[in-house]
Structure formats: C-alpha cells, structure tokens
C-alpha cells in the first residue's frame, strides 16, 4: 500500500500529557506561525523564514532539557510528518520522508548493511549503516537521548530506555500484521447519551475500542465523568441483561475501575474550581450506581475494587460539603445502602463463604403491578407512551429465585409478544395527519378496516356477540377463503378518537359470505363493555387487527395468572435448574416392560417381552428394535426419566420415535397407572396438522380411547374422535350441561 495513501487513525482523546495541567475541555493547541511558541508551557520549535508549520492538534513531541531544533530559512515542511519536535543532536529534516543521522553513541546498534522494509514514511540512517523504513506516525524514544514523552497521530507509546526494541513488533510491521485500533472517543460517547439504554449497551459491547478505553490508566476528568454517565445508562437496559453482564465483566477487571475512578475521587479533595466542585455530586451518584451494578453481578471477584471506591467516597463528600457544595439525601442513602452491601460481602469473605460470583441484590426488584392482576389487553399508557414496558429477562443459565418469579417473567414476555405488534402499528397510525395518506399505507404488524360500525348484538351459546360492518371497498381484491385476515380468535381494536379510548374484541365467528359483504361477528372483552354500552350504529370506528394470533396467547396468559405455585410440574428442573433428572416415581428396581410391541415383525416376540428398563444391559439391541444409535438412546431416556427432551432436524425420526414411546407406554399401562386409576396420555403439538398426523399414527395400534380436542382438524380418520362429536354422541358428558 502506498504510504502516502495509508489511512490515519485519530489518537484516543481520553489521554493527555502527564506533565501538563488539565484545563477543562480546552485542546492543547499550538501556534504554527514562524518563530512563535507551539506549546503553552515548556520547550518550542523555532522555524525560520516565516514558513508555516503543521496544523494544530496533529502531534507534539517533548524532549527534556529545553533544547531547540532549528529549521533553515527557506526550508519548507510540507506537512507529511506533521509534528513539532525538540531533538538532541544534529538532524537534517526534509519534510515528508526524512534522513536522520543520529549522533554516535546515542542510538541502538544494528547489524551493518541490513535492510528492514516497513510500511513507513521515513528513512533513518543509524550507526552501522542500517537503513530502516518505519511508519511515519510511529512514536519513539531513542536509547541515550533525553527522556520525554511523544504523542503522535496513530499510536501512543511510552518506551523505556532499553537497549533494543521488541523483535516481535518489528516482525509484525515487516509482515504487515500491525493492526489499527478503533478508539471510542468523547464525541461517540456523548452521542450515546441520547439513545435508548439497550442501544447503548449493544453499541458499547460491540465496539472494538471498549477494551482499550477501559484499560487506560490515564484519563481526563471530563472523560471519566462522561464514561460513568454512559455506563450507568447502559446498565438500565432491561431487555439486554446478558450484554449488560458482559459490559460489567469488562468494567470490573479494568484499569478504569481500579485506577482512574479512585484517582478521580481523590482529586475531589484538592479541586479549586468551584464550577467543577458543584458537578461532583452528580458524578458521585453515577459512580455509586456502577459500584452497585458491579458488586451485584460480581460480588467476589470485584470486592477489592468496589471496597476501595466505597471507602474513598465519604472523605470526598466531607470535603465537598465543607467547601459549600450541597450533598443531596439520595447520595447519602445510596452510599449507605451500597456500604451495607460491601460490608455484608466482606463478612462473607472473612467467613470463607464468598468464593465465587453469585448474583446479589440490594432488595427484590418488584414492579408496582402484580402480574396476576394485570389485564391481558394493553392499556392506554402502553399504547401512547414511548417508555418500554417492564420486562424481566428470561434466565437461560441460572436458576430462578422463586417459582413466582418464573411465572411473572414468562407472563410478561409472552404478553409483550402479542402487544408489541399492536402498539407499534397504532403508533404508526397516529403519526399520519390525514385519512387519505393512511388509506394508502401498508403496515407490517397490523391490518386496518375503515368506517367500522357496531350494528347489533346477538345471543349465542358462547355468550353475547356483535355483528360489525366495515368498508369492503379497499378489500375487493381479498380472497377471503385463503386469507389470514379476521381468523377465528384474532384480536381487533376499535377506536373513534385517535385511540384515546378503544374497544377490544375477538373474532367469534368467520362466515365467508358475510366477510364478502364486509361483516364479521365479534365478542368484546369485559373491560370494553362499559364503553360499548354508549355506542350507537351511527358511530364510525377505525378497526385495527393485529397479526399476532391472540387466541394462542390468551389461554396461556390466563392460565399463568391462575396457576398456583405448588401446581407447576418439574419445578426442580425448569425453575431450580437441577441437572440430574431422576426416574419417574412409578419405576422401582425390578419393574419390567413388555417390549414385544416394539420388536421387528421377523423377531421372536417371546424373547424380549420382559425388560428391566432401568438396567441398560437388559435392553434389546438397536437392530432388534429397529432403531439407530440416537433413536434407541431417545427411547431409553423417555422410558427411564421423568423429564425427557428429544430434538433433531427434519427427517431424523422424531415422530417415529415418539410413536414408539407412546406404544410402549400404552402396552405397559400396568407399570405407570397405579392404584387402579386410568390416567390419560396428553399429546400437545404446535400445529393442527402435526397433531392430526401423530394421532393418526396412534390410531394404527389404538382403535378406541382417543379424544381430539379442538375444532380445526382436517382428518377424516379422527373425525369421530373429535370432542364435539363425542359430546354430541353422548360418548362424553358435556360438563357445561
């Protein structure tokens, strides 16, 4: 790559010269006219002839001793190197690429005649005749030269006066492997303050410069304050707790937490600028927020760093208070709460019980509204406010604190799954100013029906339903027999005042002939009936249908609200996350299964009719049972464990194995039906087609005793087993009669 075209990388703006006093947000600019001082303090470079030096802010170089590098009159520095320099020794500089003859004894010896091609901007002739091509933006302290610090565009290096450079870095430069680092700068962080917390945490964790930023031992005070503020905002993300945990993991082992923050807190004691002193309380509150988050997620591994910060803050607060700075009660309360947590953790450390990181909390985070009292339908604030709903993250790797928390978590997540498309669609409608533009729009999450009118109520066996009419003109091209619009159980929302008030209803009957005339039968929710009583057939509504199929959500949500904690099955596995799955209680040593129904037709069925399923050695071979290795393992797992999960891609035999398991259980009802009870086997499938397919497979070896629940079956074989048919034929007594 042409070195003149090599892309430049801006230096990290959170660093500053250690010997230069911090001056707020001012940049350390230098004046680039001939003969004028370039750094506000310290040495300078004299340029002759009134030639212009390089633009400010690119790079500066400070060498001890106050020596001046001279440039000859009329020589121009065209701006390739872009640096201001004080050097010891005689130098010839030719702008752009330069030849630099070092003083003998002040450079590192190198092998004579060796050529080291690099990706650089300059040639340096050193003792021994070596020519080395280096990158022009490289920072270097020569051995034997006066000590100093160089900050240049592209890299920031502090090299000790050692005898030779690291061979590994030279080889990386030679092979072109040296990587450019993306820096997370001040402006980028400032821009994150205007974004949602979830976007902030995702941006930070995905940025390659995060680790370098948190690893910096030197940082400007204003940068420390901004970074604390951004990190606190990221920690408030509710839906991305795994990303927050990763971010806190980076923070707890960083130099920012162990060096920069303690130095920043101690610096409050001697701060002389009143304006900065009055900003400290807000920054202390942000630091306490970070300490709480880190100590809660990593109580053991972060205890040393968090304890140090908590111990330093009271002294700084006293100093600020003594200088007339107001310290609010919220800071005192937050400090007391976090101090109690740290003291608790320190006590556990002394007892030897704090060895690993276990999530700690300062108290249960419980929303104001109990999930059992929440309405399944969304309310006004959920539709109109931009605030995100309270959602608990689904715990994937750790156990739940309680069964109640498990129910609460999944109720809220499942409810948001169908509310979100409706909320998003209505908010898009409210952004439109005129009805004409709204009619031309296409929405992804909702379907709109205009000029909707509630005509008349009707009494049916399922309750009072209403016939509703909508404008059919925009929907003339819809083929209702194949359309997914207004399916039975779909949720619709009607409003006539820009959704300040609205009515919720479900489609209770879908007649194709009525749909072609723009009519549908709806059953309104209980909370909508009061408003419905004031509606007349002349009132015109806009009706919105959500694409999320409400009927599939409603029963589950209502079931979760009504479920008792004691009734949840398999709690020790799905709530407490126990890994060792035990055998079902009906199995005990010596229980034998009859596997004759599982054997191949050409196998002697009398050989393998008594099998102790708990003894793997007693099982028939996979060839005799007609399984491959994974299939026989799945059958063994299902028959010997009280909880089994069998998964695999299409075509691996899941349905085949499931039917074999069902047949083995139905053949051996004497094993699991105890005390003379006739317990059923419940089969639940994701789709009606899958359920029909599985029940048809069972029907091949079980001619009677099947009950098909649900009215969406398309199987002629299962028609007589449909619950409605069985009730009509008095096969099963209707519990509602």
């Amino acid at each position: 790559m042409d070195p003149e075209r090599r892309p430049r990388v801006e230096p990290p703006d959170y660093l500053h010269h250690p010997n230069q006093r911090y001056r707020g947000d001012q940049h350390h600019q230098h004046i680039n006219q001939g003969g004028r001082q370039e750094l506000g303090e310290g040495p300078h470079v004299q340029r002759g002839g009134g030639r212009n030096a390089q633009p400010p802010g690119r790079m500066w170089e400070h060498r001890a001793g106050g020596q001046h590098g001279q440039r000859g009159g009329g020589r121009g520095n065209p701006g390739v190197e872009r640096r201001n320099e004080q050097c010891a020794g005689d130098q010839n500089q030719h702008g752009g690429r330069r030849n630099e003859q070092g003083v003998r004894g002040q450079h590192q010896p190198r092998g004579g005649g060796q050529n080291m091609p690099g990706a650089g901007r300059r040639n340096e002739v050193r003792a021994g005749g070596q020519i080395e091509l280096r990158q022009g933006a490289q920072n270097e302290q020569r051995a034997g030269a006066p000590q100093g610090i160089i900050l240049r565009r592209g890299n920031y290096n502090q090299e000790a006066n050692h005898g030779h450079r690291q061979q590994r870095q030279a080889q990386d430069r030679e092979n072109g492997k040296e990587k450019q680092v993306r820096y997370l700068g001040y402006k980028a962080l400032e821009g994150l303050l205007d974004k949602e917390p979830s976007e902030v945490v995702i941006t930070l964790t995905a940025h390659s410069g995060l680790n370098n930023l948190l690893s910096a031992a030197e940082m400007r005070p204003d940068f420390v304050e901004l970074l604390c503020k951004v990190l606190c905002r990221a920690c408030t993300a509710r839906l991305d707790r795994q990303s927050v945990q990763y971010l806190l993991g980076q923070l707890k082992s960083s130099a920012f937490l162990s060096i920069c923050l303690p130095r920043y807190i101690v610096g409050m004691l001697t701060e002389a600028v009143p304006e900065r002193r009055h900003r400290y309380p807000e920054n202390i509150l942000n630091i306490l927020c970070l300490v709480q988050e880190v100590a809660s997620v990593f109580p053991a591994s972060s205890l040393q760093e968090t304890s140090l910060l908590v111990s330093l803050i009271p002294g700084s607060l006293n100093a600020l208070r003594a200088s007339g700075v107001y310290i609010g009660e919220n800071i005192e309360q937050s400090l007391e709460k976090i101090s109690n947590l740290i003291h608790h953790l320190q006590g556990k450390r002394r007892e030897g019980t704090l060895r690993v990181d276990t999530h700690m909390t300062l108290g249960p985070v419980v929303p104001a509204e109990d999930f059992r009292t929440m309405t399944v339908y969304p309310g006004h604030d959920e539709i109109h406010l931009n605030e995100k709903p309270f959602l608990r993250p689904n715990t994937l790797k750790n156990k739940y604190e309680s069964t109640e928390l498990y129910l609460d978590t999944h109720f809220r997540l499942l409810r948001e799954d169908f509310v979100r498309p409706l909320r998003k669609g209505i908010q898009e409608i409210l952004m439109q100013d005129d009805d004409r533009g709204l009619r031309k729009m296409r929405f992804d999450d909702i379907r709109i029906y205009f000029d909707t009118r509630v005509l008349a109520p009707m009494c049916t066996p399922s309750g009072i339903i209403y016939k509703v009419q909508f404008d059919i003109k925009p929907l003339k091209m819809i083929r209702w027999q194949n359309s997914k619009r207004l399916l039975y159980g779909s949720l619709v929302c009607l409003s006539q005042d820009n959704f300040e008030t609205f009515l919720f209803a479900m489609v209770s009957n879908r007649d194709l002939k009525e749909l072609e005339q723009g009519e549908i039968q709806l059953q309104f929710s209980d909370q909508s009936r009061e408003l419905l009583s004031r509606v007349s057939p002349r009132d015109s509504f806009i009706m919105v249908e959500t694409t999320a199929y409400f009927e599939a959500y409603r029963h589950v949500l209502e079931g979760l609200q009504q479920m008792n904690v004691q009734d949840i099955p398999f709690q020790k596995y799905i709530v407490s996350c126990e890994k060792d799955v035990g055998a079902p209680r009906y199995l005990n040593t010596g229980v034998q299964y009859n596997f004759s129904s599982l054997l191949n037709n050409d196998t002697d069925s009398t050989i393998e009719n008594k099998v102790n399923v708990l003894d793997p050695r007693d099982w028939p071979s996979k060839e005799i049972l007609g399984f491959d290795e994974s299939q026989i393992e799945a059958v063994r797992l299902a028959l010997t464990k009280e909880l089994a999960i069998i998964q695999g891609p299409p075509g691996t035999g899941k349905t085949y194995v499931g039917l074999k398991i069902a047949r083995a259980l139905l053949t051996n009802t004497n094993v699991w039906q105890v005390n003379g009870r006739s317990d059923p086997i419940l089969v639940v499938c994701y789709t009606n087609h899958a359920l029909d397919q599985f029940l048809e497979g069972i029907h091949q070896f079980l001619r009677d005793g099947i009950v098909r629940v649900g009215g969406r079956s398309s199987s002629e074989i299962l028609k007589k087993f449909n619950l409605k048919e069985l009730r009509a034929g008095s096969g099963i007594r209707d519990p509602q009669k």
Side-chain angles (χ1 to χ4, degrees):
M1 185 176 183
D2 184 1
E4 296 298 331
R5 298 172 62 86
R6 183 178 301 280
R8 292 184 177 273
V9 181
E10 292 292 344
D13 52 5
Y14 47 81
L15 298 169
H16 63 278
H17 192 287
N19 296 328
Q20 185 154 353
R21 185 177 178 183
Y22 170 71
R23 299 182 177 179
D25 294 330
Q26 296 178 357
H27 297 290
H28 308 297
Q29 296 185 353
H30 45 271
I31 304 171
N32 57 13
Q33 297 298 326
R36 298 176 66 180
Q37 185 170 335
E38 297 199 347
L39 281 177
E41 298 177 8
H44 58 274
V45 175
Q46 189 75 21
R47 305 200 179 206
R51 302 287 296 187
N52 290 336
Q54 306 315 311
R58 291 293 187 182
M59 180 176 73
W60 52 266
E61 181 172 325
H62 177 198
R63 303 285 176 96
Q67 301 172 1
H68 300 167
Q70 301 292 331
R71 310 240 173 172
R75 299 288 303 185
N77 188 355
V80 178
E81 283 292 322
R82 291 180 177 163
R83 69 177 187 176
N84 307 319
E85 189 173 74
Q86 290 180 355
C87 301
D90 297 324
Q91 297 183 3
N92 297 321
Q93 301 187 0
H94 299 284
R97 295 179 175 84
R98 73 176 185 180
N99 300 324
E100 186 173 301
Q101 178 67 48
V103 180
R104 289 186 181 273
Q106 293 185 346
H107 44 68
Q108 46 189 337
R110 301 183 186 266
Q114 182 183 1
N115 294 331
M116 297 181 63
R121 299 283 186 88
R122 71 183 183 191
N123 300 330
E124 296 186 0
V125 181
R126 299 182 182 250
Q130 181 187 15
I131 297 177
E132 182 175 348
L133 190 60
R134 289 186 177 272
Q135 186 176 350
Q138 185 185 359
N139 309 322
E140 184 177 345
Q141 267 187 310
R142 297 177 185 80
Q147 297 183 4
I149 295 176
I150 304 172
L151 177 62
R152 298 190 179 178
R153 184 173 185 174
N155 296 305
Y156 175 78
N157 299 331
Q158 291 187 10
E159 298 184 12
N161 291 333
H162 48 74
H164 61 277
R165 296 185 182 278
Q166 294 184 5
Q167 192 71 17
R168 189 174 185 178
Q169 292 180 353
Q171 291 176 354
D172 284 346
R173 286 193 297 270
E174 183 177 353
N175 297 330
K177 296 179 181 178
E178 196 170 27
K179 295 182 179 179
Q180 292 180 343
V181 180
R182 289 180 60 205
Y183 293 109
L184 192 56
Y186 193 93
K187 290 185 178 179
L189 287 177
E190 238 180 359
L192 292 178
L193 293 177
D194 299 327
K195 300 186 180 300
E196 292 291 331
S198 57
E199 186 175 352
V200 175
V201 68
I202 292 173
T203 303
L204 288 178
T205 54
H207 202 289
S208 60
L210 175 67
N211 186 52
N212 287 330
L213 176 61
L214 295 177
S215 300
E218 293 283 343
M219 192 173 292
R220 299 193 329 245
D222 64 326
F223 212 108
V224 172
E225 296 165 3
L226 177 61
L227 183 55
C228 286
K229 192 178 297 185
V230 171
L231 290 174
C232 286
R233 183 162 184 79
C235 290
T236 61
R238 294 173 176 173
L239 301 180
D240 302 277
R241 296 310 299 176
Q242 287 184 330
S243 298
V244 172
Q245 186 169 341
Y246 171 80
L247 181 62
L248 293 174
Q250 296 287 94
L251 176 62
K252 64 107 177 177
S253 57
S254 67
F256 177 75
L257 188 70
S258 59
I259 299 177
C260 291
L261 284 183
R263 184 179 297 167
Y264 173 81
I265 296 172
V266 172
M268 299 178 186
L269 299 171
T270 57
E271 179 58 56
V273 181
E275 182 182 356
R276 289 196 55 79
R277 282 203 305 266
H278 286 279
R279 291 211 306 261
Y280 279 142
E282 179 187 356
N283 303 327
I284 289 177
L285 201 58
N286 290 332
I287 294 174
L288 289 173
C289 168
L290 291 179
V291 170
Q292 176 182 331
E293 293 288 343
V294 173
S296 299
V297 179
F298 302 100
S301 59
S302 69
L303 184 57
Q304 181 177 350
E305 290 79 8
T306 54
S307 299
L308 174 62
L309 292 173
V310 171
S311 65
L312 293 175
I313 289 176
S316 297
L317 287 178
N318 292 334
L320 292 174
R321 195 180 289 109
S323 63
V325 177
Y326 173 74
I327 305 298
E329 267 187 45
N330 56 339
I331 297 179
E332 298 285 359
Q333 293 173 357
S334 179
L335 178 60
E336 182 181 2
K337 186 183 297 184
I338 297 171
S339 297
N340 292 337
L341 174 63
I342 297 299
H343 292 156
H344 172 70
L345 295 176
Q346 290 172 342
K348 295 187 68 175
R349 171 67 61 83
R350 288 191 296 268
E351 295 170 0
T353 57
L354 186 65
R355 298 178 181 177
V356 296
D357 289 320
T358 304
H359 186 76
M360 305 285 292
T361 58
L362 298 180
V365 182
V366 180
E369 190 174 10
D370 183 7
F371 83 97
R372 295 185 185 275
T373 62
M374 292 174 62
T375 174
V376 173
Y377 303 92
H380 175 275
D381 290 347
E382 289 183 88
I383 298 297
H384 288 273
L385 296 183
N386 291 326
E387 297 180 3
K388 291 187 177 180
F390 178 86
L391 296 175
R392 301 181 187 274
N394 185 22
T395 301
L396 300 178
K397 297 183 179 179
N398 301 318
K399 67 178 183 179
Y400 284 85
E401 296 178 6
S402 65
T403 306
E404 188 75 10
L405 183 63
Y406 173 84
L407 293 174
D408 181 279
T409 299
H410 287 279
F411 175 86
R412 295 178 187 276
L413 291 175
L414 189 64
R415 182 177 180 271
E416 176 65 12
D417 201 30
F418 92 84
V419 170
R420 183 180 180 277
L422 181 63
R423 178 175 60 241
K424 183 179 177 182
I426 292 177
Q427 289 177 351
E428 290 179 358
I429 292 176
L430 296 177
M431 294 173 63
Q432 300 300 314
D433 297 330
D434 59 333
D435 182 70
R436 181 177 300 178
L438 182 61
R439 289 177 178 269
K440 295 180 180 180
M441 286 190 64
R442 295 293 180 267
F443 299 90
D444 295 329
D445 301 299
I446 58 172
R447 306 180 184 104
I448 302 180
Y449 305 88
F450 296 95
D451 194 20
T452 302
R453 303 176 187 273
V454 181
L455 299 181
M458 298 184 298
C459 294
T460 66
S462 59
I464 298 177
I465 64 174
Y466 289 78
K467 180 171 286 190
V468 175
Q469 189 174 50
F470 54 89
D471 185 6
I472 196 64
K473 294 178 182 178
L475 306 172
K476 288 184 177 180
M477 303 302 294
I478 300 295
R479 303 182 63 180
W480 292 100
Q481 64 270 24
N482 299 324
S483 174
K484 293 184 178 181
R485 286 175 173 263
L486 298 176
L487 296 176
Y488 171 82
S490 295
L491 179 68
V492 295
C493 176
L494 289 78
S495 180
Q496 57 181 347
D497 54 5
N498 284 331
F499 296 94
E500 289 297 322
T501 59
F502 33 72
L503 304 171
F504 284 109
M506 287 192 312
V507 177
S508 61
N509 188 27
R510 188 179 194 267
D511 186 273
L512 292 178
K513 292 183 179 179
E514 290 182 352
L515 282 175
E516 292 173 354
Q517 301 299 320
E519 295 182 356
I520 190 67
Q521 297 178 19
L522 302 179
Q523 186 171 22
F524 287 86
S525 64
D526 293 338
Q527 53 263 48
S528 299
R529 289 180 181 175
E530 181 180 354
L531 185 61
L532 185 65
S533 63
R534 301 194 293 268
V535 173
S536 70
R538 295 187 300 273
D539 295 335
S540 177
F541 294 83
I542 180 173
M543 183 169 70
V544 174
E545 177 191 11
T546 175
T547 55
Y549 186 55
F550 179 65
E551 184 72 2
Y553 291 94
R554 179 172 68 94
H555 297 289
V556 178
L557 290 172
E558 292 176 350
L560 288 173
Q561 287 181 316
Q562 299 169 6
M563 185 175 290
N564 294 323
V565 172
Q566 298 82 3
D567 296 337
I568 298 180
F570 307 118
Q571 290 191 41
K572 60 182 179 180
Y573 304 124
I574 63 176
V575 177
S576 300
C577 295
E578 294 185 13
K579 296 181 180 180
D580 297 328
V581 181
R585 285 180 291 179
Y586 56 78
L587 281 184
N588 53 61
T589 305
V591 171
Q592 294 180 329
Y593 266 69
N594 182 358
F595 275 3
S596 59
S597 60
L598 303 184
L599 302 179
N600 288 331
N601 295 330
D602 56 351
T603 304
D604 188 355
S605 61
T606 62
I607 299 177
E608 309 290 350
N609 58 359
K610 291 184 178 181
V611 177
N612 181 6
V613 292
L614 294 179
D615 185 1
R617 298 170 298 180
D618 205 22
W619 277 65
S621 66
K622 60 183 180 181
E623 290 79 13
I624 293 177
L625 295 176
F627 297 135
D628 60 23
E629 188 63 35
S630 62
Q631 290 172 345
I632 195 172
E633 287 297 323
V635 173
R636 184 181 291 116
L637 181 72
L639 296 181
T640 60
K641 301 295 182 182
E642 62 177 342
L643 176 64
I645 299 176
I646 302 169
Q647 60 183 7
T652 54
K654 296 187 298 297
T655 303
Y656 172 75
V657 168
L659 289 173
K660 289 290 187 180
I661 294 170
R663 187 166 190 175
L665 291 172
L666 291 170
T667 306
N668 296 274
T669 54
N670 60 301
V671 174
W672 53 274
Q673 289 186 346
V674 295
N675 300 327
R677 295 186 306 177
S678 180
D679 295 323
I681 295 177
L682 177 64
V683 179
V684 180
C685 294
Y686 189 71
T687 63
N688 286 296
H689 175 73
L691 181 59
D692 287 343
Q693 185 181 20
F694 196 85
L695 291 180
E696 286 177 356
I698 291 180
H699 182 256
Q700 294 180 3
F701 54 82
L702 184 68
R703 293 298 176 179
D704 295 312
I706 300 176
V707 179
R708 185 9 172 123
V709 180
R712 303 299 176 193
S713 175
S714 58
S715 172
E716 290 295 328
I717 297 176
L718 300 175
K719 185 176 181 180
K720 64 178 181 179
F721 298 114
N722 190 279
L723 181 59
K724 183 182 293 187
E725 295 290 333
L726 292 173
R727 283 176 176 172
S730 300
I732 297 178
R733 185 176 65 86
D734 192 339
Q736 297 181 353
K737 294 181 179 180

